[in-house]
């Protein structure tokens, strides 16, 4: 007989703050979990080579991606405006009932104001998986116009001025 471990990796994500203003940081937290799949109350096998792939929305400025375990080997250049970009993180192995997170920070550009940002993440493992229907998650958040408060003060301290005289 060949004994093969059973795993069920899932992905969930959130978006804060919602709503967000264009130019303000948005934080996505992507959580990969190896669920308990045994009927006897034990824990599942370790999920090997767990990878999270996050499809970033277009027209956001990429700030950072930080995994709680492993590395994010593929990510846009910091401060670059995204267009079809992905963050791909190799989280290593997840023991039974364990989880790992990836925190992704972006800034919506002015182009996104008045729209919904949709962000999708997928998780995968090289281990045998019992349920692949829960390997994708998405979240949407509203982008509002930026809050601008510009004030200009000008004061002529010399008066009346003479031709050729310097004023402050």
């Amino acid at each position: 007989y060949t004994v093969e471990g059973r795993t069920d990796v899932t992905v969930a994500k959130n978006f804060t703050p919602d709503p967000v203003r264009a130019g303000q940081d948005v934080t996505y937290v992507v959580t990969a979990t190896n669920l308990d799949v045994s009927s006897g109350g034990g824990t599942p096998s370790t999920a090997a080579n767990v990878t999270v792939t996050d499809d970033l929305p277009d027209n956001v400025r990429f700030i950072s991606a930080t995994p709680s375990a492993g590395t994010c080997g593929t990510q846009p250049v910091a401060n670059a405006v995204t267009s079809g970009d992905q963050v791909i993180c190799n989280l290593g192995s997840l023991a039974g009932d364990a989880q790992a997170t990836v925190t992704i920070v972006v800034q919506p550009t002015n182009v996104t104001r008045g729209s919904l940002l949709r962000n999708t993440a997928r998780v995968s493992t090289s281990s045998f998986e019992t349920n692949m229907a829960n390997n994708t998650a998405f979240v949407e958040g509203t982008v509002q116009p930026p809050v601008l408060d510009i004030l200009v003060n000008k004061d002529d301290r010399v008066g009346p001025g003479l031709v050729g005289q310097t004023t402050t």
Side-chain angles (χ1 to χ4, degrees):
Y1 294 98
T2 300
V3 177
E4 191 171 65
R6 296 173 45 175
T7 65
D8 182 15
V9 292
T10 66
V11 67
K13 64 184 314 163
N14 66 24
F15 173 102
T16 56
D18 186 17
V20 64
R21 297 208 177 267
Q24 179 183 6
D25 284 358
V26 168
T27 301
Y28 294 108
V29 178
V30 183
T31 304
T33 305
N34 186 10
L35 293 177
D36 182 353
V37 297
S38 66
S39 59
T43 58
S45 300
T46 297
N49 303 313
V50 176
T51 300
V52 166
T53 302
D54 191 272
D55 299 324
L56 295 174
D58 289 342
N59 298 309
V60 297
R61 186 171 310 282
F62 176 76
I63 305 300
S64 65
T66 308
S68 64
T71 60
C72 293
T74 302
Q75 55 190 0
V77 175
N79 294 314
V81 176
T82 60
S83 177
D85 290 319
Q86 292 180 322
V87 172
I88 301 174
C89 300
N90 299 312
L91 304 179
S93 296
L94 281 180
D97 289 332
Q99 66 181 25
T101 60
V102 179
T103 302
I104 300 170
V105 179
V106 298
Q107 283 180 353
T109 63
N110 209 26
V111 173
T112 63
R113 69 187 187 278
S115 68
L116 283 177
L117 287 184
R118 182 180 175 110
N119 183 254
T120 303
R122 294 176 303 284
V123 67
S124 63
T125 179
S126 62
S127 300
F128 175 77
E129 192 166 1
T130 60
N131 179 8
M132 296 190 61
N134 54 11
N135 288 20
T136 301
F138 73 91
V139 65
E140 290 181 333
T142 305
V143 180
Q144 296 178 337
V147 173
L148 303 175
D149 186 12
I150 299 173
L151 177 64
V152 177
N153 288 317
K154 188 170 185 174
D155 186 6
D156 178 10
R157 297 188 189 259
V158 178
L162 302 174
V163 175
Q165 181 181 12
T166 303
T167 63
T168 303

